[in-house]
Amino acid sequence: AAQTGIPSPTGNERSNGRRPGHTLPALRATLLALVAFGAVSTHAATTTSVVDIPAVDGGTQRFLQVRPDAPIAYVVVLPGGNGNLGIQNNGSVSTRTGTCNPFGRNADAFAGRRIGLPLIDMTSNGSIYNHENVFAVVRKVRERDNVPIWLAGGSASTDAIGFAARMVPTEIPAGVIFYSPGPPDSNVALIRRPAVVIAHPLDPFQS
């Protein structure tokens, strides 16, 4: 069964160099759902929307939001490769990066566990991996759903998602997922949020 007992963030966390007290239980419960999501999925009404918001560096920031009914969390995905998902107006993706993204390919399975996915594309000006645009997407989805956030990135977006996890505002209850990560830079040592690393010994990035 899907996890259902995740508390809502209170919005009064304080930054003290450690994980915010109200954030960790919620993220831990969400992590259990993430680990177990491949087992038995529940049926939930799912809405897929193409969303455009102003980008902090000019133009617009597009993302594809996969929202189950009553989500318990969101995994905000910053793709690897060239960062270009090629999200079309009808919600399809037109690039290899888009079709190969593991979160996008498994969106229905995540939604079945009541975990939503905002998949972040490059901006209309062609920029990628701006952490302020990532936070703008997070704030947009949390306008409706006040639930925990996991920032996810890997391969070419490893450093970018690590930097975003380091800089994420204290009022956002967030953890970070590194999948198939490239060799990280020194920012990862400064992350003070829950973190998960997903890797495979045969992945060439692990050598």
Side-chain angles (χ1 to χ4, degrees):
Q3 298 288 329
T4 58
I6 292 182
S8 297
T10 62
N12 61 354
E13 295 92 344
R14 295 291 183 267
S15 176
N16 58 4
R18 297 175 296 177
R19 301 182 181 98
H22 293 285
T23 301
L24 186 55
L27 289 170
R28 183 180 292 121
T30 307
L31 176 58
L32 293 176
L34 285 168
V35 171
F37 92 95
V40 179
S41 295
T42 59
H43 294 286
T46 303
T47 303
T48 301
S49 305
V50 177
V51 183
D52 292 310
I53 60 175
V56 299
D57 46 358
T60 57
Q61 173 66 71
R62 172 166 287 195
F63 65 96
L64 185 67
Q65 182 176 1
V66 181
R67 183 189 183 275
D69 186 42
I72 60 171
Y74 277 100
V75 177
V76 179
V77 181
L78 203 59
N82 61 5
N84 180 13
L85 295 173
I87 299 171
Q88 304 299 298
N89 292 335
N90 64 1
S92 64
V93 294
S94 62
T95 67
R96 182 177 180 182
T97 297
T99 57
C100 289
N101 184 270
F103 289 93
R105 293 201 316 268
N106 292 284
D108 289 342
F110 279 98
R113 300 296 295 187
R114 295 172 54 200
I115 297 170
L117 295 176
L119 302 161
I120 301 178
D121 208 346
M122 67 165 46
T123 71
S124 60
N125 286 347
S127 73
I128 58 174
Y129 301 163
N130 186 308
H131 65 284
E132 292 293 349
N133 286 331
V134 175
F135 301 154
V137 170
V138 169
R139 292 186 178 100
K140 182 65 177 179
V141 299
R142 296 192 78 235
E143 286 177 0
R144 180 175 183 182
D145 302 307
N146 187 26
V147 296
I149 297 293
W150 286 88
L151 306 174
S155 188
S157 65
T158 299
D159 289 345
I161 207 67
F163 185 76
R166 174 189 170 192
M167 302 300 294
V168 65
T170 57
E171 72 271 12
I172 297 176
V176 59
I177 300 171
F178 295 98
Y179 65 92
S180 186
D185 64 15
S186 58
N187 279 309
V188 296
L190 303 175
I191 295 173
R192 295 295 183 266
R193 299 293 184 124
V196 180
V197 178
I198 303 173
H200 190 282
L202 297 181
D203 192 317
F205 280 112
Q206 309 313 312
S207 59

